[in-house]
Amino acid sequence: MSRIRTETQGEVLVITFDHPPANPFDQAASRDLDAALTELNENPALRVGIVTGAGDRMFSAGWDLKAVAAGDDGEDFGPHGFMSLNRQDMVKPVICAVNGLAVGGGFEFALSCTLVIATPEAEFGLPELQRGFIPEAGGLWRAHRRLPVNIASELLLTGRRLSAEEGRHYGFINRIVPRAQLMDVAHELAAQITKGAPLAVAALLEVTREVESLSDAEAFARLQTGLPWRDRLRSSDDYKEGPRAFVEKRAPRWTGK
C-alpha cells in the first residue's frame, strides 16, 4: 500500500503523507511523492498543491531509518531525489500544511515549499548530525536561506527543534492556525492563488528561482536572456486579458493561453 495519498479537489491537488504515526519515507514512498508532484506540475487542470500529514502527531519523520536498518538502504528515490527535494522545475505553488512534528526530510520538505502554515504544536528539527550524517537533501542550505544564518546553524549543529512561533517570527511560517482549521486555511490560500493568471504564477515561480542568488543588475540581465514561462506569459492572451478586464470593470477570464 502506498504511503502517499492524493485527492483532487477542483483545481487543488491534496497530497497526504499517509503512514502514521511518523509518516516516514522509504524509497517507494519517495517515488510516489515525486509522481504526485509531477502530476501537479504537468496537469493543466491543477493550479495549487497542498501537502500535509496523516494523523495528529507528526507531519513526517523524513527518512525511514527502520527501513534502512532492515536493509532498505538504496537510493532509488525517483528522478528528483529523496522526497522529490531536488526539483528545479515546479511552476505550481505548493502549500505545506504542517500538522505536527517535521524532522529530517519532513523539515527539508517544508523548507522547499512555497508557503508554510502550521498548527501551534508543530515543531521542526534537523537531527541528522546526531544520527551520523548531514541533511544533504536540501535542508543544509535551504535552512540558511529561509532562516537567519546563526539560527539555522544552531538548529543544524545541535539538533534542537524550532517551534512554530519561532518559525513565524523568522518569516519561515506564514500562519499558525488551530489544528481543526489547518486544511480550511490551506484551501483559502489556494483559492486566493487561483485568482491569479496561471501563466503569471508559473512565471513568478520560474523567475524567483532563476534570480534567487543574483544581484539586481544580474537579475535584470537574466530576464533578457529568455525564460520559457516568462516568455510564454508575455506572448499570451492572458497578458492582455488582465488590462482588458480592468478597463471593462469585470473579473478576468484566464485561459492559460
Side-chain angles (χ1 to χ4, degrees), residues 59-96:
F59 172 69
S60 176
W63 199 14
D64 190 343
L65 296 183
K66 290 183 179 179
V68 173
D72 182 29
D73 57 354
E75 296 191 12
D76 183 13
F77 297 126
H80 299 100
F82 179 65
M83 292 183 72
S84 204
L85 286 167
N86 191 17
R87 276 189 177 268
Q88 311 297 326
D89 65 340
M90 288 301 294
V91 290
K92 309 285 181 70
V94 176
I95 300 170
C96 192

Side-chain angles (χ1 to χ4, degrees), residues 50-255:
I50 298 174
V51 180
T52 193
D56 57 6
R57 177 169 166 260
M58 296 193 74
F59 172 69
S60 176
W63 199 14
D64 190 343
L65 296 183
K66 290 183 179 179
V68 173
D72 182 29
D73 57 354
E75 296 191 12
D76 183 13
F77 297 126
H80 299 100
F82 179 65
M83 292 183 72
S84 204
L85 286 167
N86 191 17
R87 276 189 177 268
Q88 311 297 326
D89 65 340
M90 288 301 294
V91 290
K92 309 285 181 70
V94 176
I95 300 170
C96 192
V98 183
N99 58 303
L101 185 60
V103 295
F107 190 5
E108 288 182 297
F109 188 85
L111 286 165
S112 75
C113 288
T114 318
L115 302 176
V116 181
I117 61 175
T119 63
E121 305 83 11
E123 292 184 326
F124 303 81
L126 292 167
E128 280 82 351
L129 268 69
Q130 287 72 41
R131 304 289 185 269
F133 46 95
I134 61 175
E136 56 187 23
L140 197 159
W141 52 90
R142 285 178 177 140
H144 283 98
R145 292 172 182 169
R146 300 290 294 271
L147 295 165
V149 171
N150 59 325
I151 298 299
S153 294
E154 179 187 352
L155 298 178
L156 288 158
L157 290 168
T158 70
R160 86 160 179 89
R161 295 175 183 173
L162 181 82
S163 71
E165 191 56 51
E166 277 186 288
R168 181 170 63 177
H169 174 74
Y170 294 127
F172 163 57
I173 293 175
N174 295 84
R175 301 182 188 178
I176 299 175
V177 297
R179 183 180 302 277
Q181 298 175 22
L182 184 67
M183 294 306 290
D184 288 340
V185 172
H187 280 284
E188 288 170 5
L189 283 171
Q192 293 174 35
I193 291 170
T194 59
K195 292 179 181 179
L199 291 175
V201 172
L204 184 147
L205 295 179
E206 175 190 54
V207 172
T208 299
R209 181 168 54 245
E210 289 291 325
V211 306
E212 180 179 28
S213 62
L214 304 181
S215 67
D216 282 356
E218 291 169 331
F220 280 114
R222 181 69 182 92
L223 290 181
Q224 306 310 313
T225 64
L227 292 167
W229 285 96
R230 177 179 178 269
D231 294 346
R232 184 175 168 185
L233 166 67
R234 291 175 67 88
S235 63
S236 70
D237 186 66
D238 280 356
Y239 194 68
K240 302 171 185 176
E241 168 61 9
R244 280 198 303 260
F246 177 79
V247 171
E248 296 170 11
K249 299 182 179 180
R250 60 172 175 80
R253 295 185 287 268
W254 309 122
T255 64

